[in-house]
């Protein structure tokens, strides 16, 4: 007991003591991270030396991302400096978006005019949304935060997340799944304020695989849809744990990712009513979207996005019903190895994506599509934050202040999604797999006043 108190006191003393290094006259008086989500977080440092400090450079990492970002804020060289870097969540050039729940570390590098330098030990930070009075349920694997609705509501989401996580991890044979952070926003406006800029208006949930964070918009009265959305997002999370890394991410078509997530929403793998209408209509009118156009991302428009979810689900269900789960699992394993789309299909199934598409169309009674890649409509890749995987990452310039890492930036002319007067379908988003049944639950038709999402 006394030893415990002693240790606590020592730790407290250490945490307040100036951080110094014997070899360097540079002394860090204090350092901190001020959180102001969804606008910014601020890295603040006070330091002194025997000669004017002329360089202070902060390097910031996020858990799950190998490369860090480095910034050199401007200040007047002096023996005693107070310097800060404002990491803007809304501007790529000075940080960029990070979801709440992102864990990371940072360090400062200091140099003075006498040639001394000093690097602070790495300090940890967590991106926090302090605008809400969060209630939390957590175990070592999953942490659910919500701010509206009863304890029963939070327990329902937490319970579903635990079951789904264990189920999908078992199905996908994943042993080490990183802890997951789940944030439930009850209000649509507040949800979009917390999402990255340029999020599609139909976003209802969002998985950030690299950070292990899931954000969902679930009103407490929509708990049935919320459970469905939780399974959907957990599917994405576990699948991305499996194919972790850029190679796997690039190999797996987006329609496979989303199709599986919808497939996994319920234990009986029934169609999601929100997508089924658009899909049935497209089958009737022969206006299905070519699979090739859904390889990298889904359409921006709500109607087309609903169709994209509906038909991605339909193709995945066709593959599993027609050729079995083992083949599908083998396909995912191929993606995990970095084997790209068509090659993986040919390797596992013996046919190409175009051939698969026509087999599926035949099963629907839809005319075959002429295979001509030159005439296929495609959706131009738009580098936004919407697809939260690292698919579209591009190297950043190396001029200081610079990002060492890469997060795609929205183009200057990227339009902000206009508010829709219609009632878009929900849409979940995110990504994953799976194969099997989850907990049984009834499906309550849900209409959202805004929209849904993709991952
Ligand atoms: Zn999804």
């Amino acid at each position: 007991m006394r030893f415990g108190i002693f240790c606590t006191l020592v730790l407290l003393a250490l945490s307040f003591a100036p951080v110094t290094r014997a070899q360097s006259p540079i002394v860090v008086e204090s350092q901190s991270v001020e959180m102001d989500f969804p606008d910014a977080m601020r890295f603040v440092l006070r330091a002194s030396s025997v000669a004017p400090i002329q360089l202070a450079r902060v390097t910031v990492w996020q858990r799950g991302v190998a490369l860090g970002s480095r910034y050199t804020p401007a200040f007047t060289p002096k023996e005693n400096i107070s310097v800060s870097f404002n990491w803007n969540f809304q501007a790529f050039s000075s940080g960029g978006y990070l979801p709440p729940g992102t864990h990371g570390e940072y360090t400062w590098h200091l140099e003075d005019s006498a040639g001394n330098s000093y690097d602070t030990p790495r300090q940890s930070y967590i991106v926090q949304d302090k605008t809400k009075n969060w209630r939390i349920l957590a175990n070592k694997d999953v942490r659910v935060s919500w701010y509206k609705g009863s304890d029963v509501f939070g327990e329902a989401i937490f319970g579903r997340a635990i079951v789904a996580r264990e189920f999908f991890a078992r199905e996908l044979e994943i042993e080490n799944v990183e802890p997951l952070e789940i944030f439930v926003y009850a209000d649509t406006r507040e949800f979009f304020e917390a999402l990255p800029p340029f999020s599609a208006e139909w976003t209802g949930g969002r998985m950030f695989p690299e950070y292990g964070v899931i954000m969902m918009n679930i009103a407490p009265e929509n708990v049935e849809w919320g459970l469905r959305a939780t399974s959907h997002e957990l599917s994405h999370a576990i699948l991305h744990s499996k194919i972790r890394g850029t190679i796997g991410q690039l190999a797996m078509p987006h329609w496979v990712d989303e199709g599986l997530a919808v497939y996994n929403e319920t234990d009986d793998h029934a169609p999601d009513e929100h997508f089924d209408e658009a899909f049935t209509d497209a089958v009737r009118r022969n206006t299905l979207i070519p699979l090739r156009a859904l390889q990298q991302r889904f359409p921006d428009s709500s109607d087309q996005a609903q169709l994209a979810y509906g038909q991605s689900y339909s193709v995945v269900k066709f593959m599993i019903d027609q050729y079995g789960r083992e083949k599908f699992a083998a396909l995912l394993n191929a993606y995990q190895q970095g084997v790209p789309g068509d090659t993986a299909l040919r390797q596992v199934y013996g046919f190409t994506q175009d051939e698969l598409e026509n087999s599926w169309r035949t099963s629907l009674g839809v005319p075959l599509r002429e295979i001509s890649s030159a005439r296929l409509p495609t959706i131009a890749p738009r580098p936004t934050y919407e697809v939260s995987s690292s698919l579209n990452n591009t190297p950043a310039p190396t001029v200081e202040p610079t990002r060492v890492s890469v997060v795609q930036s929205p183009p200057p002319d990227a339009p902000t999604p206009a508010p829709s007067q219609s009632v878009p379908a929900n849409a979940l988003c995110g990504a994953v797999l799976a194969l099997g049944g989850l907990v049984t639950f009834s499906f309550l038709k849900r209409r959202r006043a805004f929209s849904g999402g993709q991952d």
Side-chain angles (χ1 to χ4, degrees):
M1 182 66 167
R2 280 184 187 169
F3 179 73
I5 292 171
F6 172 76
C7 288
T8 302
L9 290 173
V10 169
L11 286 172
L12 282 171
L14 286 174
S15 65
F16 289 112
V19 184
T20 60
R21 192 177 65 172
Q23 298 88 335
S24 175
I26 298 177
V27 176
V28 172
E29 307 291 349
S30 68
Q31 56 179 323
S32 61
V33 183
E34 298 168 359
M35 199 58 61
D36 187 23
F37 185 89
D39 297 327
M41 62 177 170
R42 199 156 173 257
F43 294 86
V44 184
L45 175 86
R46 286 200 310 117
S48 61
S49 187
V50 293
I53 297 174
Q54 55 188 16
L55 174 70
R57 186 170 64 209
V58 63
T59 304
V60 185
W61 294 268
Q62 288 87 45
R63 187 180 70 189
V65 181
L67 296 173
S69 306
R70 181 174 293 164
Y71 297 93
T72 308
F75 65 95
T76 304
K78 284 188 299 188
E79 281 83 2
N80 293 284
I81 63 161
S82 180
V83 62
S84 66
F85 172 68
N86 200 60
W87 179 295
N88 189 334
F89 294 128
Q90 304 295 322
F92 170 75
S93 58
S94 54
Y97 181 80
L98 293 173
T102 301
H103 289 247
E105 293 186 331
Y106 70 96
T107 178
W108 285 94
H109 172 77
L110 300 166
E111 293 178 10
D112 70 16
S113 61
N116 301 301
S117 65
Y118 177 65
D119 291 282
T120 65
R122 285 198 186 195
Q123 303 286 309
S124 61
Y125 69 90
I126 302 174
V127 177
Q128 293 172 294
D129 181 351
K130 295 182 175 178
T131 65
K132 307 289 179 295
N133 188 19
W134 297 102
R135 277 176 283 166
I136 294 166
L137 274 174
N139 65 13
K140 65 180 174 49
D141 300 320
V142 175
R143 178 180 164 102
V144 173
S145 301
W146 78 105
Y147 59 86
K148 193 175 175 190
S150 65
D151 287 347
V152 173
F153 170 71
E155 286 161 6
I157 300 297
F158 180 68
R160 170 55 58 87
I162 297 295
V163 171
R165 181 189 179 281
E166 289 176 1
F167 178 81
F168 294 137
R170 193 165 57 243
E171 288 290 318
L172 284 170
E173 300 177 345
I174 303 292
E175 289 185 3
N176 299 311
V177 179
E178 292 285 318
L180 290 168
E181 288 267 8
I182 300 174
F183 293 89
V184 181
Y185 287 81
D187 178 89
T188 300
R189 182 182 57 79
E190 293 172 341
F191 177 60
F192 273 85
E193 283 173 358
L195 281 180
F198 311 109
S199 293
E201 61 171 355
W202 41 263
T203 303
R206 184 81 174 261
M207 166 73 205
F208 297 85
E210 59 272 64
Y211 308 131
V213 172
I214 292 170
M215 296 167 71
M216 293 187 289
N217 178 202
I218 307 172
E221 60 271 24
N222 269 339
V223 66
E224 294 295 339
W225 179 82
L227 295 178
R228 190 170 186 130
T230 302
S231 294
H232 181 113
E233 300 299 343
L234 261 291
S235 276
H236 282 311
I238 307 302
L239 180 56
H240 281 264
S241 286
K242 180 181 179 68
I243 63 166
R244 182 177 296 279
T246 304
I247 290 177
Q249 307 264 6
L250 285 171
M252 182 172 65
H254 193 59
W255 65 263
V256 170
D257 201 7
E258 290 295 350
L260 274 170
V262 178
Y263 181 84
N264 283 329
E265 287 175 12
T266 62
D267 65 327
D268 61 355
H269 311 300
D272 187 319
E273 225 173 293
H274 297 93
F275 311 134
D276 207 37
E277 189 177 319
F279 172 66
T280 305
D281 189 51
V283 168
R284 187 170 50 77
R285 296 165 50 201
N286 191 19
T287 54
L288 292 167
I289 305 169
L291 280 187
R292 285 183 178 217
L294 302 176
Q295 289 196 134
Q296 295 194 337
R297 62 190 305 268
F298 277 6
D300 289 330
S301 91
S302 180
D303 289 347
Q304 287 292 292
Q306 286 178 56
L307 173 57
Y309 278 103
Q311 71 174 72
S312 295
Y313 155 80
S314 177
V315 176
V316 166
K317 187 166 191 306
F318 171 77
M319 293 172 76
I320 294 173
D321 290 350
Q322 199 71 19
Y323 306 104
R325 292 181 176 187
E326 292 73 20
K327 286 257 186 198
F328 203 86
L331 180 66
L332 297 179
N333 286 335
Y335 294 145
Q336 183 183 18
Q337 301 303 317
V339 182
D342 254 17
T343 308
L345 275 170
R346 223 169 327 177
Q347 186 175 299
V348 176
Y349 289 89
F351 47 63
T352 64
Q353 181 170 287
D354 291 331
E355 290 164 346
L356 163 67
E357 185 168 6
N358 273 336
S359 297
W360 165 68
R361 290 174 73 97
T362 299
S363 77
L364 296 171
V366 175
L368 299 189
R369 189 170 59 74
E370 188 180 338
I371 306 301
S372 172
S373 57
R375 300 213 310 266
L376 289 180
T378 56
I379 296 170
R382 188 187 67 168
T384 71
Y385 293 101
E386 273 170 28
V387 178
S388 44
S389 68
S390 52
L391 285 179
N392 297 321
N393 286 356
T394 52
T398 53
V399 186
E400 302 267 18
T402 186
R403 267 188 94 79
V404 176
S405 80
V406 287
V407 173
Q408 58 269 37
S409 62
D413 58 346
T416 299
S420 171
Q421 298 305 311
S422 64
V423 183
N426 88 62
L428 314 168
C429 117
V432 179
L433 140 76
L435 317 171
L438 268 191
V439 182
T440 303
F441 52 86
S442 61
F443 172 55
L444 183 67
K445 181 164 173 128
R446 185 188 76 111
R447 277 277 172 185
R448 321 187 70 181
F450 75 110
S451 99
Q454 90 179 22
D455 88 315

